[in-house]
Amino acid sequence: MHDAREVVVLRYGHRPGRDDRMTTHVGLTARALGADRVIFPDNAGQSAETVRDITDRFGGPFAVELRDDQKAIVRNFEGVVVHLTMYGERVQDVEGDVRESIQGGDGLLIVVGGEKVPWALYERADFNVGVTNQPHSEVAGLAVFLDRLFEGTELDREWEDADRRVMPEATGKTVIDADEERSDGD
Ligand SMILES: C[S@@+](CC[C@H](N)C(=O)[O-])C[C@H]1O[C@@H](n2cnc3c(N)ncnc32)[C@H](O)[C@@H]1O
């Protein structure tokens, strides 16, 4: 779909109960819009289960990991680190530099926060990127950033090993069972 190496999304911080839906939506958005993997804090097990379940049903490849060492993940990542923050440089000004920096490299880690993130993250990040410099949400910021990164090519992605597929249509809600689709093709 694109030339870049692995694109990983890190959800930095999670408050069980309060952040459950947001963390789940970070994972679903990462999957739907072309990332290869999401890393959740290890107290976000319910969100991980939901994203895995969607991947099982609607296809992949897409990996979900639970880790307790978020600081170390960022510190030790060998590729390029992008931190999405309303205080960052404008996405439209740096998207080309980010694409260039990951060509042939060790991949890209995109970090999104929930509550306050440590200052060390701003310092470690190769790019602090704002999707507008207005406060909004990690889900919206991630969606726009991924679409800019992939220049829209992620919208044409094919999904592997899906049990079901949604038929795009002007009106109606048709979901095709992959087994039926395969037997129709025989
Ligand atoms: C509730 S917001 C916290 C806002 C925070 N003061 C900040 O640094 O962006 C949670 C997360 O949403 C993301 N976010 C919010 N507004 C953003 C923006 N304009 N551009 C990029 N990311 C944004 C950031 O990843 C942030 O950590």
Side-chain angles (χ1 to χ4, degrees):
M1 179 182 61
H2 51 86
D3 294 330
R5 292 282 186 90
E6 191 185 35
V7 173
V8 183
V9 173
L10 174 65
R11 167 47 151 176
Y12 204 107
H14 172 81
R15 294 162 294 185
R18 185 168 172 176
D19 287 340
D20 289 346
R21 272 174 64 82
M22 271 307 214
T23 297
T24 301
H25 286 193
V26 164
L28 294 178
T29 300
R31 171 187 168 276
L33 296 184
D36 300 291
R37 183 157 61 100
V38 72
I39 304 173
F40 288 157
D42 63 355
N43 62 352
Q46 189 60 50
S47 295
E49 221 172 279
T50 303
V51 179
R52 285 184 186 129
D53 179 54
I54 292 289
T55 303
D56 285 346
R57 288 191 283 149
F58 287 89
F62 185 73
V64 184
E65 268 179 54
L66 288 171
R67 300 262 300 263
D68 67 354
D69 51 348
Q70 296 175 304
K71 274 190 189 149
I73 293 169
V74 175
R75 196 173 50 237
N76 300 331
F77 191 75
E78 292 189 350
V80 174
V81 175
V82 164
H83 168 220
L84 295 181
T85 166
M86 62 182 280
Y87 304 107
E89 295 181 277
R90 304 180 333 150
V91 65
Q92 60 270 45
D93 294 341
V94 296
E95 60 177 287
D97 293 342
V98 174
R99 269 195 300 276
E100 211 169 290
S101 71
I102 59 178
Q103 292 307 317
D106 294 313
L108 174 64
L109 183 70
I110 305 167
V111 186
V112 296
E115 51 186 345
K116 213 170 175 197
V117 298
W119 180 245
L121 177 55
Y122 289 81
E123 293 184 318
R124 162 61 184 93
D126 297 288
F127 299 92
N128 289 290
V129 179
V131 175
T132 77
N133 295 109
Q134 303 298 316
H136 51 78
S137 105
E138 49 272 47
V139 176
L142 179 63
V144 171
F145 180 78
L146 286 171
D147 188 59
R148 288 285 179 140
L149 176 72
F150 297 134
E151 300 177 283
T153 60
E154 82 287 356
L155 301 178
D156 294 319
R157 176 185 176 159
E158 300 286 334
W159 297 92
E160 295 169 21
D161 300 324
D163 288 343
R164 58 193 72 181
R165 191 162 70 82
V166 173
M167 283 293 293
E169 53 193 355
T171 311
K173 302 195 323 189
T174 306
V175 181
I176 296 175
D177 190 308
D179 287 337
E180 280 172 28
E181 203 175 15
R182 274 193 287 274
S183 58
D184 283 353
D186 287 345

